[in-house]
Each structure stands twice: as C-alpha cells, then as structure tokens.
Amino acid sequence: MTLTTTDRAAHVREVSGAVVPLLAFAGIVVAVMQTLLVPVIKDLPRLLDTSPADATWVLTSTLLSGAVATPIMGRLGDLYGKRRMLVTSLAVMVAGALVSAFTSDLLLMIAGRTLQGFAMGAIPLGIGLMRDLLPRERLGSAMGLMSSSIGVGGGLALPAAALVAQHADWHALYFGAAGLGVHAITLILLVVPEPPTRAAGRFDLPGALGLSAGLVLFLLPVTKGADWGWTSATTLGLFGAAAVVLLLWGVMELRVAAPLVDLRTTARREVLLTNLASIMVGVSFFVVSLVLPQLLQLPVATGYGLGQSMVVAGLCVAPLGLTMMFTAPVYARLSVRYGPKTTLILGLLIIAAGYGGGLGLMSAAWQTVVTSVVLGAGIGLAYSSLPALIIAAVPASETGAANGLNTLMRSIGTSVSSAVIGMVLAGTANTVGGVEVPSLHGFRVSFLIATAAVAVGLLLALFLPGTRPRTGGQLRASSEEEANVERASQREGEVTA
C-alpha cells in the first residue's frame, strides 16, 4: 500500500512533537535492558549457583536473540506495520524481564534473557517510524537521537543499575526494566500512529531461519571462543558451519522474489561500505565500556587502579551517553551543511582523538570523564550518520529491514570487540594477592585496538560516494514516489503561503 500526496501531508501534520522523544525513550529502554547486569556480572556464578562458564550464557543468550531478532523484526515492520512490531518487541522484552525477575534458576534466567534480546529490533523500527512520520526538516536530528539511544541508555543506566545492585536485591533490576518497558509501550500506543506504508510481498520464513542459523553459528564461537579455545574443534567447526550456512542462505535469498534481506541492495557501494564501517564503530564503542569501569574499580593497591565504587565508576562513564544525546542536534546541523558522509568522517576522527588521548589519561577519575566526553561526541556523530546514509540509499519500503541489518552490523562489532578485548585483558593480566586482574598495559593495548578499528572505519568512510548537503534541512528522497511527494508538498506549502 502506498500513500497519496494528500494522505502523506495529513499524516505528517497529525504527528505531534512527542513522537521523537517517545521513540528515543524506547531505544533507551532497550539499552537499559542490555546494561542492567553489568554491575553484577562478576557475582552471577554465586547468585545463580552455577559455574562461571555457564553463567556467561545469561549474557550470550541476549546477544544471540538480539542479533537474530533485529533484521527479522525490521522486515516484519516493513510488511505488517512498524509500530505494531515495535510494541511486540517491547512486549516480549517485558515478558522476559518478568521471567528473570521471579527466578534464580539458571535455565529460566537464560530463557528470560533470550526473550529480552528481542527488544533490539526497536532501534531500526524506531528509525523507520521516524522516516514515515516526520517532516524532512526534523528527520536528521530525530534519527541521530534514535541511533544514539543505545549508547545514551547504556551510559545513564550503568550508575542507576549499580546503585540498585548495591542497595537492593538484584532481581529489582528486572522489575525496573519491565516497568520501563510497560511505560514505553503505553506511551507508544497512545501517541505514535501506525503509518499506512507497507512493503509488498510475503515474509521470507526460510530466509529468516537461514539467517538465524548462520548468525547463531557465527556468534556462538565469537562469544564463547575464549572458554572453548580459539583453535578448538568446536570453535573452528562452528565458524566453518557459519560460513557454509550463510553462503547457502545468500544464494537462496538471491532467488527469492521478496527476500528477508535484499542482497542486491545491500551490495550497493554506499550500503556495503556503511555497514562495514558500522562494524568498526561498534568495535570502538564497546572498548570504552569494557575498559573504563574496570580501571575505575580496580583497587589502588594495584598501582594503577583508581579504587572507585560501582556507582562512582558508573557516574564517571555516564558522560559517554549524555554527550551522545546532546550530539544529535549538532549532527543535524552539520549533516544539513556538509552531508552525513562528512559527519561520519568527523565522528571517526574525534573517536580516534579520544582513544589516542585516553592512552595518557588513566591516572585519575576526572581523566576518565574527559575521555568519556570526547568519545561520546565522536561516537554520537558516527552513530547518527549511519541511518541517514542507509536511508538515502534504499527505497522507503525497505527502511526497516535495511536499518535492521545496519544495527546488526553494529552488534557484530560489539560482539567481536568483547571477544578480542576480553582475550587481550586476560592475556596481559597481573596477579595481585593471588588474583588475576587486568593490567594497565592491557587497557592501553585495548585502546590501541579501538584506534585501529576507527582507522579502518575511516578508510571505508572515505570511499563512500560523496553526498551533497541537503538544502533546507531536508533529506533527499530515496525513491521516485518520495520525490513526487516532496515536490507536491512544496507546491502545497507555496499555495498555503
């Protein structure tokens, strides 16, 4: 179903200014769900009465389900309604949070966390809703805020989760996440309309199953390789199986009339390079989240630890998310004038400067705050640029699926980052009082790895096709239909004036 010019104009007028903050709030709720266990990670084996290796499945399960759900929910949103699928994603998350809130059994906890991972589809669905609902002059800053919400929520939730973990039963974290989810669902149902725009075709169930299998086979060894051994038969076998499954899936998708992921569109230069750059941004984003909290909480007796509590450590890292939030309107102005390619390059340069400077800013808590602010500005600009580059390159009917794939690329980046940095910190650890703790050398090597990832991302961004700045703050139409709507809307405005 397509919108007529009159319908589109009426649709835009009915949308209130509350849509952007509400959708961004939904993204923040998703980030809170991901972050809430960080303060109790080291205590999970004791809390769940299990081994450290088995306790990691509580985190791995969310990663796997989120990776699978993101592109699938994006495509379902294109076909059956983005608001409907957004509410569904959040509802599944709430159900999962309640399961986890009422149990200390490992298997039930893993099941609850698996359900919570479905909320990751909220980010691309929110971006798609913004494209369908908002006037073009507001779209840039809105998408920037939505894209950055995952970092904003993570930064703000860390000190709050640490405070709860210190002074209440840890299950309260899940009750809080469920409450936030219910609140977000209620506000979305009351305020956000369902756009009538729909993609043609049916849902590609075989494609969804094939992609899910390939992602699970790939991400399992990425997340568990350190426990199993990177050269073990299990790890290498799963990587090999992932390659075979994803190759066969790609061949199948090229033969389907309405595929889950349009690989021909994905192979376009601007889409492919943007997705590859997204992986590098994901790698760089997660390094600071892994390094600074540990540096801040290590005891002063190590000679380099800063001896701060969980709450103080969270507050020192919180400016990362706050800066990302305040960067969204700055991005909109820069993107209007110079284009999203330039803002992506600028963001990557700022991230590189943040990690480069951070190598020498590890001796005081205030120095970690400075590092967080600089990195937040760079990551905020980079994250805000990615959906604009994707949307400019795909038809409106593929917005959800395309942004779902882009969000997946970022998740893959954070997964790879977690595995690599975890391996580096373990391999460079010092023994203090009979306990192995990360070393200052390991922290600095981690920052250098992040800088290298940014350099690769910068190289990819330089090869993106040039984009001319948008006049009047408007994004270019990505299809002939939208171009016609844009011209008609301009004529209507002239007549009204």
Side-chain angles (χ1 to χ4, degrees):
M1 179 178 179
T2 58
L3 285 171
T4 65
T5 301
T6 304
D7 289 339
R8 176 64 181 266
H11 201 54
V12 169
R13 283 195 297 268
E14 77 172 287
V15 177
S16 70
V19 165
V20 174
L22 284 184
L23 292 176
F25 175 66
I28 290 171
V29 169
V30 174
V32 169
M33 176 276 301
Q34 284 194 310
T35 309
L36 57 84
L37 275 186
V38 170
V40 297
I41 285 177
K42 64 180 183 301
D43 299 319
L44 280 178
R46 174 179 59 82
L47 295 171
L48 297 174
D49 191 23
T50 188
S51 66
D54 287 341
T56 60
W57 284 106
V58 176
L59 305 176
T60 302
S61 60
T62 308
L63 167 70
L64 295 177
S65 62
V68 168
T70 300
I72 291 176
M73 296 305 290
R75 180 58 179 166
L76 287 172
D78 288 336
L79 289 169
Y80 304 115
K82 298 181 182 70
R83 187 186 76 152
R84 179 183 301 173
M85 291 302 114
L86 174 58
V87 170
T88 300
S89 297
L90 293 173
V92 174
M93 185 209 79
V94 170
L98 291 176
V99 169
S100 297
F102 285 106
T103 187
S104 294
D105 178 78
L106 176 64
L107 292 180
L108 284 176
M109 185 65 66
I110 291 172
R113 289 292 291 172
T114 300
L115 292 175
Q116 290 166 55
F118 276 81
M120 283 301 297
I123 305 298
L125 289 168
I127 292 172
L129 278 168
M130 288 175 173
R131 178 177 187 169
D132 290 344
L133 295 172
L134 297 178
R136 296 183 185 281
E137 64 272 11
R138 294 186 56 199
L139 191 53
S141 60
M143 288 194 307
L145 181 60
M146 189 71 201
S147 183
S148 300
S149 63
I150 198 74
V152 174
L156 297 179
L158 191 57
L163 189 63
V164 171
Q166 279 189 346
H167 300 287
D169 182 85
W170 69 289
H171 291 92
L173 296 169
Y174 291 113
F175 284 115
L180 288 173
V182 170
H183 191 52
I185 291 171
T186 302
L187 292 174
I188 289 169
L189 290 174
L190 290 174
V191 176
V192 180
E194 179 71 86
T197 305
R198 296 286 190 276
R202 293 182 175 183
F203 180 67
D204 178 18
L205 181 58
L209 294 175
L211 179 60
S212 300
L215 288 174
V216 170
L217 289 170
F218 173 73
L219 290 173
L220 263 179
V222 167
T223 55
K224 301 291 288 184
D227 295 330
W228 296 340
W230 290 106
T231 59
S232 69
T234 301
T235 300
L236 296 178
L238 286 173
F239 275 133
V244 171
V245 170
L246 290 173
L247 179 62
L248 293 175
W249 169 78
V251 172
M252 180 181 68
E253 289 293 275
L254 290 173
R255 297 178 178 179
V256 176
L260 177 73
V261 177
D262 190 337
L263 294 180
R264 292 180 177 85
T265 299
T266 305
R268 292 178 186 169
R269 177 182 168 190
E270 56 268 43
V271 179
L272 178 62
L273 291 178
T274 300
N275 283 332
L276 292 176
S278 298
I279 296 175
M280 298 300 109
V281 177
V283 170
S284 66
F285 167 63
F286 209 61
V287 171
V288 64
S289 304
L290 290 171
V291 168
L292 290 190
Q294 294 191 71
L295 173 66
L296 285 158
Q297 292 181 73
L298 281 175
V300 177
T302 60
Y304 50 88
L306 301 180
Q308 304 297 323
S309 67
M310 281 194 300
V311 175
V312 173
L315 290 172
C316 289
V317 180
L320 178 75
L322 288 172
T323 309
M324 288 178 68
M325 180 171 62
F326 291 125
T327 299
V330 176
Y331 155 77
R333 294 187 180 91
L334 291 174
S335 182
V336 165
R337 187 164 185 177
Y338 302 108
K341 173 184 175 179
T342 301
T343 56
L344 174 59
I345 291 172
L346 178 60
L348 290 168
L349 289 172
I350 294 174
I351 297 172
Y355 278 117
L359 289 170
L361 295 175
M362 293 187 176
S363 58
W366 68 266
Q367 294 178 356
T368 66
V369 174
V370 172
T371 301
S372 296
V373 169
V374 175
L375 289 174
I379 295 169
L381 281 176
Y383 266 18
S384 298
S385 305
L386 298 173
L389 289 165
I390 292 294
I391 278 183
V394 302
S397 61
E398 298 178 18
T399 300
N403 274 297
L405 184 62
N406 183 255
T407 303
L408 172 62
M409 293 300 106
R410 290 189 242 171
S411 297
I412 288 175
T414 58
S415 302
V416 171
S417 177
S418 177
V420 172
I421 300 306
M423 183 171 58
V424 167
L425 294 181
T428 58
N430 293 328
T431 301
V432 178
V435 179
E436 285 196 345
V437 297
S439 66
L440 184 61
H441 174 66
F443 290 146
R444 286 176 170 155
V445 170
S446 299
F447 270 30
L448 287 173
I449 291 172
T451 305
V454 172
V456 174
L458 183 60
L459 182 64
L460 292 167
L462 290 173
F463 283 95
L464 280 168
T467 54
R468 290 176 298 175
R470 279 73 163 153
T471 59
Q474 294 183 336
L475 291 170
R476 287 181 303 182
S478 62
S479 66
E480 185 59 30
E481 176 193 351
E482 294 219 346
N484 292 333
V485 169
E486 186 177 59
R487 288 191 290 269
S489 297
Q490 290 173 348
R491 287 197 298 270
E492 182 179 327
E494 292 169 359
V495 171
T496 302

